[in-house]
Amino acid sequence: MKGAHSQMKLLEDRILQDGQVRPGNVLKVDCFLNHQLDVDLLDKIGEEFYRIFKDDGVNKILTIEASGIAIACHFDVPVVFAKKAKSKNIDGDVYTSTVHSYTYGKDYNITLAQKFLGPNDRVLILDDFLANGKAMKGLLDVCNQAGCSVAGIGICIEKGFQPGGAELRAAGYKLASLAIVNEMSDDHLTFREQ
């Protein structure tokens, strides 16, 4: 478990070093996690998710473009990602769900070609952030439509002061958040002990 704790600490330290708190409880981590990617850090995050979920029978990873893709590649299984825009080059039938973006203050649709997810799949859902859980509800809705089972949910950064994580845990999902922010203000950020 020592190695595991050092991975969490690595991410927490990086958030403290390079993360920026913006008005409205927005935490910007775009210089290493979701705009510019720190490949070494993401590699370690991917290793940690693999350690947590490797025995859960995962045969597909589901994420949302583009944030979860980089952390999904440690498992030797296909990674499928829900697209945020209706693409002209998605063939055939699609699963679709509506997600509300807290950051952008608007709704958007996610779509996934049905041929990539079905009842035989045991899915690990990965994403960079969990706050109110709206994106996760959309991804779980897609899984429900596909009839697949959810092996677990892996999150890089959870905002512990918002309800998404507590709701998912209460619903019985195996949820692993590598860094849980307890509180944040312009000059202060604390993490929950795990």
Side-chain angles (χ1 to χ4, degrees), residues 91-138:
D91 301 335
D93 293 328
V94 297
Y95 305 117
T96 183
S97 189
T98 302
V99 172
H100 180 75
S101 168
Y102 176 79
T103 313
Y104 296 105
K106 65 176 188 183
D107 290 346
Y108 61 90
N109 286 333
I110 57 170
T111 57
L112 177 68
Q114 289 185 7
K115 64 184 175 184
F116 294 128
L117 209 58
N120 297 327
D121 289 318
R122 189 154 167 76
V123 175
L124 171 61
I125 302 175
L126 293 179
D127 206 0
D128 57 351
F129 264 103
L130 175 63
N132 289 312
K134 302 288 195 233
M136 197 51 61
K137 282 190 178 81

Side-chain angles (χ1 to χ4, degrees), residues 62-66 69 80-85 95 109-113 138-139 142:
L62 174 63
T63 187
I64 215 161
E65 69 169 356
I69 297 170
V80 293
F81 54 96
K83 290 177 172 275
K84 285 183 180 173
Y95 305 117
N109 286 333
I110 57 170
T111 57
L112 177 68
L139 290 169
V142 164

Side-chain angles (χ1 to χ4, degrees), residues 5 22 28 35 40 53 60 63 65 91 99 123-124 128 132 148 158 181 186:
H5 189 68
R22 296 283 170 82
K28 296 278 283 182
H35 197 100
D40 186 49
F53 294 107
K60 286 266 171 79
T63 187
E65 69 169 356
D91 301 335
V99 172
V123 175
L124 171 61
D128 57 351
N132 289 312
C148 62
E158 176 185 336
V181 178
D186 293 347

